[in-house]
């Protein structure tokens, strides 16, 4: 019994350090991730805190909440039409998202399901178009809309974003994982292509649609350059345009500015938090 107890103690003594080594090895990784999380969240925290402080406190880098939230809100409502800007931003982003999902999903579906060499050439042209900066096409676009009498309209804001090469490519790549045997079976049962797209393709590609919706909504909500060019009347201004107007004067109230930035950020944060799981699945090309 004594010899057996000695062997057990030896085994326990030699095994104990081995159980501690993995946790010690992970400490540098945990430390790095903690620092990265703090650095990533600090701008959001500073925005939240600054929205409750005065301009002097913001310039002094105050990191604690203050009591100027309602004063900043009153000044912001007096200076700008916040409700109108939020409405126009929401309207533009929603219409752009719905239209882009409808058009780009059908295009990506057609590129992959009805595959041909000609469509591959067209896809290469679309990919090349992604390399052209928007500033190079902005002046021709403005001239086209001016000739069509569409300047200063919601339609002029959303039309250029209804079809993008990135979304078409996203749906095309996701469609490669779609089981084509189901399409053949549906065609044998007499279903048309539109009914196949609506009843089979759409429910299967929900994660891809969610990812595309998040990307499109955030891009449309944060769009500044094109609305600033095409909307010549402040009555149609969006939230990015409103924030720009707050910095256009001789003196900038940074407390009011940070409150406006906070109000402009909340919708995109909510959309991403609601659809974050489906967004991750859609980006990785998962099909369920």
């Amino acid at each position: 019994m004594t010899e057996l107890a000695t062997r057990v103690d030896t085994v326990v003594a030699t095994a104990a350090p081995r159980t501690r080594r993995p946790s010690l090895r992970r400490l540098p990784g945990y430390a790095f991730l903690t620092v990265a999380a703090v650095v990533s969240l600090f701008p959001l925290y500073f925005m939240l805190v600054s929205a409750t402080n005065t301009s002097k406190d913001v310039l002094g880098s105050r990191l604690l909440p203050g009591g100027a939230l309602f004063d900043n809100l009153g000044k912001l409502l007096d200076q700008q039409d916040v409700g109108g800007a939020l409405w126009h931003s929401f309207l533009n982003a929603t219409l752009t998202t719905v239209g882009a999902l409808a058009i780009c999903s059908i295009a990506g579906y057609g590129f992959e399901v009805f595959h041909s060499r000609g469509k591959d050439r067209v896809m290469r042209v679309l990919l090349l178009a992604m390399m052209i900066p928007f500033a190079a096409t902005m002046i021709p676009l403005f001239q086209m809309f001016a000739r069509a009498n569409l300047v200063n309209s919601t339609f002029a804001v959303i039309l250029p974003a209804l079809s993008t090469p990135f979304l078409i490519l996203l749906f095309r790549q996701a469609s490669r994982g779609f089981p084509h045997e189901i399409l053949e079976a549906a065609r044998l049962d007499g279903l048309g292509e539109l009914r196949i797209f609506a009843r089979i393709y759409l429910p299967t590609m929900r994660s891809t649609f969610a990812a595309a919706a998040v990307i499109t909504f955030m891009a449309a909500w944060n769009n500044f350059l094109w609305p600033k060019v095409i909307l010549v009347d402040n009555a149609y201004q969006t939230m990015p345009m409103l924030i720009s107007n707050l910095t256009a004067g001789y003196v900038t109230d940074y407390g009011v500015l940070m409150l406006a930035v906070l109000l402009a950020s909340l919708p995109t944060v909510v959309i991403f938090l609601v659809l974050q799981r489906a967004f991750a699945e859609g980006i990785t090309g998962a099909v369920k």
Side-chain angles (χ1 to χ4, degrees):
M1 292 296 294
T2 304
E3 183 178 356
L4 179 59
T6 304
R7 291 182 179 179
V8 171
D9 293 338
T10 304
V11 171
V12 172
T14 55
R18 295 179 182 177
T19 59
R20 296 176 183 175
R21 286 178 184 175
S23 59
L24 294 177
R25 292 176 181 176
R26 294 177 181 177
L27 285 179
Y30 289 149
F32 174 77
L33 293 176
T34 301
V35 173
V38 171
V39 172
S40 300
L41 294 176
F42 179 77
L44 179 61
Y45 172 79
F46 186 74
M47 178 181 65
L48 292 171
V49 171
S50 298
T52 65
N53 288 321
T54 62
S55 181
K56 182 179 179 180
D57 293 333
V58 175
L59 292 175
S61 300
R62 178 183 172 91
L63 299 179
L64 297 177
L69 175 62
F70 293 102
D71 292 338
N72 292 337
L73 181 60
K75 294 178 183 178
L76 178 61
L77 295 177
D78 291 337
Q79 296 176 14
Q80 300 290 333
D81 183 12
V82 180
L86 285 172
W87 165 248
H88 288 110
S89 292
F90 180 78
L91 180 65
N92 294 338
T94 303
L95 293 178
T96 301
T97 302
V98 174
L101 291 182
I103 294 174
C104 295
S105 62
I106 294 175
Y109 174 84
F111 270 112
E112 182 59 30
V113 174
F114 305 100
H115 186 267
S116 67
R117 294 183 178 179
K119 293 184 177 65
D120 289 339
R121 296 189 184 98
V122 175
M123 196 66 206
R124 294 191 190 101
V125 174
L126 291 177
L127 294 178
L128 289 175
M130 295 176 62
M131 303 179 186
I132 301 176
F134 179 75
T137 61
M138 182 174 59
I139 295 176
L141 274 177
F142 182 83
Q143 293 176 343
M144 291 172 56
F145 284 107
R147 292 174 182 173
N149 295 323
L150 293 175
V151 176
N152 203 37
S153 64
T154 302
F155 187 72
V157 176
I158 67 175
L159 185 60
L162 289 181
S163 178
T164 61
F166 175 77
L167 286 185
I168 295 175
L169 178 64
L170 177 65
F171 280 104
R172 185 196 180 193
Q173 294 300 113
S175 299
R176 292 189 172 182
F178 188 78
H180 289 257
E181 295 80 6
I182 297 179
L183 297 178
E184 297 297 333
R187 289 166 184 164
L188 291 176
D189 289 339
L191 291 179
E193 293 300 329
L194 289 178
R195 296 177 66 184
I196 292 175
F197 181 84
R199 294 186 178 184
I200 300 177
Y201 183 82
L202 285 179
T204 307
M205 308 297 292
R206 284 179 298 180
S207 58
T208 304
F209 275 89
V214 171
I215 294 171
T216 307
F217 187 89
M218 293 178 67
W221 182 274
N222 295 323
N223 191 15
F224 169 73
L225 182 58
W226 178 241
K228 188 68 174 178
V229 171
I230 202 67
L231 298 177
V232 297
D233 191 351
N234 281 335
Y236 296 95
Q237 70 177 354
T238 59
M239 284 303 295
M241 295 171 62
L242 182 146
I243 294 172
S244 176
N245 291 336
L246 291 175
T247 62
Y250 293 102
V251 179
T252 301
D253 191 328
Y254 289 97
V256 175
L257 177 62
M258 297 305 287
L259 179 59
V261 173
L262 175 61
L263 293 176
S265 303
L266 286 178
T268 55
V269 172
V270 171
I271 291 294
F272 180 78
L273 291 178
V274 171
L275 299 176
Q276 60 177 335
R277 179 174 297 180
F279 173 80
E281 294 176 355
I283 290 297
T284 55
V287 177
K288 291 186 178 180

